[in-house]
């Protein structure tokens, strides 16, 4: 169940990042194949040490990571991953941080940012809400994609289709 803070942050993100030529979707499942796993695992270990959380277990199978918000700016072919954190408990929860994009960000309340800013890796940017929008308080630096662009495109399309089907089911209820 999402907290009201998370819902508010999602709405601010939608207001801020929804623009022509940019595709976006919340809760995108990205299948990371075994060959990409060592890179992902190495980075996950690094995050877990920096954030002082329990590292993920290493397994020999395909895994699905969920990024809270994925955007693709088609014209520039730029992938951005956003992790939404609503509280200090959420930030320290140990949930996976899926930073596999060209640019990677946290979206969080200003008060939370002030408490955790020293724990955020140097290449990860941060957005905080200001009214109905998000503003950047820390810029991200470009990183090498950790998964193939085709995997990201497929994951985005799959998740967008899921959302269309959810909406279709809701609309069917109103038709009766």
């Amino acid at each position: 169940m999402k907290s009201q803070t998370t819902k508010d942050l999602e709405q601010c993100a939608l207001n801020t990042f929804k623009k022509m030529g940019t595709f976006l979707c919340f809760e995108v499942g990205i299948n990371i194949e075994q060959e990409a796993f060592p890179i992902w695992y190495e980075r996950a270990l690094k995050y877990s040490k920096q954030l002082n959380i329990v590292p993920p277990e290493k397994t020999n199978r395909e895994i699905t990571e969920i990024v809270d918000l994925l955007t693709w700016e088609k014209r520039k072919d730029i992938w951005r991953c956003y992790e939404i954190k609503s509280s200090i408990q959420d930030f320290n929860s140990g949930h996976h941080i899926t930073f596999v994009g060209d640019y990677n960000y946290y979206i969080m309340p200003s008060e939370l940012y002030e408490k955790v800013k020293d724990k955020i890796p140097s290449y990860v940017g941060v957005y905080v809400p200001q009214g109905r929008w998000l503003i950047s308080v820390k810029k991200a630096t470009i990183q090498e994609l950790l998964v193939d662009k085709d995997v990201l495109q497929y994951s985005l399309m799959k998740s967008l289709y899921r959302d269309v089907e959810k909406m279709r089911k809701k609309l069917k209820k109103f038709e009766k």
Side-chain angles (χ1 to χ4, degrees):
M1 185 87 165
K2 292 181 184 178
S3 70
Q4 188 59 48
T5 301
T6 298
K7 291 176 186 178
D8 293 344
L9 290 170
E10 285 180 347
Q11 186 59 55
C12 288
L14 191 58
N15 295 343
T16 304
F17 303 126
K18 182 180 171 187
K19 58 186 174 188
M20 188 69 82
T22 298
F23 299 88
L24 65 96
C25 190
F26 291 95
E27 298 177 11
V28 176
I30 301 171
N31 291 338
I32 299 176
E33 295 179 18
Q34 198 168 351
E35 63 192 28
F37 188 77
I39 297 169
W40 171 88
Y41 186 73
E42 183 179 308
R43 184 155 297 172
L45 283 176
K46 180 180 170 185
Y47 292 146
S48 62
K49 287 177 186 171
Q50 287 177 347
L51 300 175
N52 197 25
I53 58 176
V54 177
E57 290 185 30
K58 189 171 185 178
T59 60
N60 292 323
R61 59 179 170 81
E62 181 177 89
I63 58 170
T64 300
E65 285 297 316
I66 297 174
V67 62
D68 291 337
L69 173 62
L70 179 67
T71 67
W72 176 44
E73 193 175 340
K74 184 181 182 292
R75 188 173 49 86
K76 295 180 181 178
D77 195 25
I78 294 176
W79 293 92
R80 299 177 198 272
C81 293
Y82 301 85
E83 290 293 335
I84 299 172
K85 298 298 178 189
S86 60
S87 66
I88 192 79
Q89 294 84 1
D90 187 15
F91 187 84
N92 292 325
S93 69
H95 289 112
H96 291 279
I97 306 299
T98 308
F99 287 148
V100 297
D102 293 308
Y103 294 93
N104 302 284
Y105 303 88
Y106 280 114
I107 298 173
M108 61 180 60
S110 301
E111 314 80 58
L112 178 58
Y113 173 63
E114 290 303 320
K115 292 177 185 175
V116 301
K117 62 184 173 185
D118 295 334
K119 295 181 179 182
I120 297 172
S122 61
Y123 61 89
V124 176
V126 179
Y127 281 92
V128 298
Q130 185 173 57
R132 296 178 37 225
W133 309 95
L134 295 174
I135 59 167
S136 173
V137 293
K138 182 177 182 295
K139 296 209 179 289
T141 57
I142 194 162
Q143 299 294 304
E144 183 179 332
L145 285 177
L146 293 182
V147 294
D148 191 73
K149 289 180 183 185
D150 290 339
V151 172
L152 291 173
Q153 284 179 327
Y154 172 74
S155 300
L156 181 64
M157 286 190 299
K158 180 179 66 170
S159 297
L160 287 169
Y161 181 76
R162 173 205 64 211
D163 288 352
V164 167
E165 287 301 308
K166 281 183 188 177
M167 188 59 68
R168 190 173 301 182
K169 287 179 182 176
K170 285 182 181 180
L171 290 173
K172 279 186 179 182
K173 291 179 182 178
F174 289 111
E175 288 176 359
K176 294 179 181 180

